Amino acid sequence: RLARAPGTTQLELETSWNYSETGWLDHERHNDTVAVADFDRALELLRSIVSADPNNQLARVEVAKLEMAAAPALESSGKTQRAIAARRDAIAILSAALERDASDDDARMHLAESWASLGAVYGRIHPANRALRADAYRRALAAIAAVKSAYPAGAVFDMDGLKAHVEWMLKKCTDGQ
């Protein structure tokens, strides 16, 4: 359908979501090279929407979410620096979304998850740099604190569970582990 109607925003969104879903499934099956290719196709579509309409907040936040979803596959396929860049890009996009609309709990939840995820990857690649990990975890906790409920509408994350995990990881950093 997209080939017959290029530039149709709704079709581009749906197609990007399809690529994202297959990318996640391929990652779950440890076929990360294929997963990364699917995530890249999805990102290309979403970025084309944002390029055509820079004010499309949905597409911008979807880019950030997709960067987060792609990061584990990137890391598993040996593209650790690209995985870190994807997480940082997601953080930048979600932070900008919150500047536009401070009540956007969806962006705030994903921002918290992005910071927590970045802290975890720092722990894997720079285990001795506890300050770097602790900073990411503190930022995750700040984002979590601003979310109004443990399960906001449409939430994929359990904020209480994420908070407990991040607090535990932060404690490990500050205790020298």
Side-chain angles (χ1 to χ4, degrees):
R1 286 177 29 191
L2 183 59
R4 291 190 308 255
T8 306
T9 301
Q10 185 60 38
L11 287 176
E12 288 176 332
L13 278 171
E14 290 174 11
T15 303
S16 74
W17 291 329
N18 289 338
Y19 277 125
S20 175
E21 186 66 28
T22 59
W24 187 253
L25 291 170
D26 285 326
H27 171 64
E28 289 289 310
R29 294 181 181 123
H30 306 286
N31 193 354
D32 290 306
T33 302
V34 174
V36 168
D38 286 337
F39 286 131
D40 285 345
R41 286 184 198 105
L43 281 165
E44 181 181 335
L45 287 167
L46 287 174
R47 287 184 177 132
S48 73
I49 294 169
V50 171
S51 291
D53 180 5
N55 294 319
N56 187 328
Q57 192 65 11
L58 171 65
R60 294 178 69 73
V61 171
E62 288 300 315
V63 167
K65 291 178 187 180
L66 189 51
E67 298 249 45
M68 287 175 50
L74 288 164
E75 194 175 345
S76 294
S77 66
K79 296 175 170 73
T80 304
Q81 291 307 312
R82 190 169 160 211
I84 290 170
R87 288 175 173 102
R88 287 182 178 156
D89 191 42
I91 288 166
I93 291 168
L94 295 165
S95 295
L98 288 166
E99 286 177 17
R100 287 181 172 206
D101 179 4
S103 68
D104 186 346
D105 270 351
D106 184 49
R108 193 170 312 282
M109 287 184 311
H110 285 86
L111 179 62
E113 179 62 27
S114 294
W115 277 115
S117 176
L118 188 58
V121 75
Y122 285 158
R124 289 190 290 279
I125 65 169
H126 300 297
N129 192 338
R130 292 187 304 276
L132 187 64
R133 287 184 291 154
D135 179 62
Y137 292 136
R138 284 186 187 99
R139 291 173 187 259
L141 288 171
I144 291 166
V147 176
K148 295 170 189 66
S149 72
Y151 289 99
V156 199
F157 307 116
D158 165 11
M159 289 290 102
D160 289 342
L162 181 60
K163 181 181 178 188
H165 175 73
V166 171
E167 287 173 337
W168 177 69
M169 295 303 291
L170 179 57
K171 183 172 177 5
K172 286 176 62 174
C173 291
T174 57
D175 287 351
Q177 297 178 21

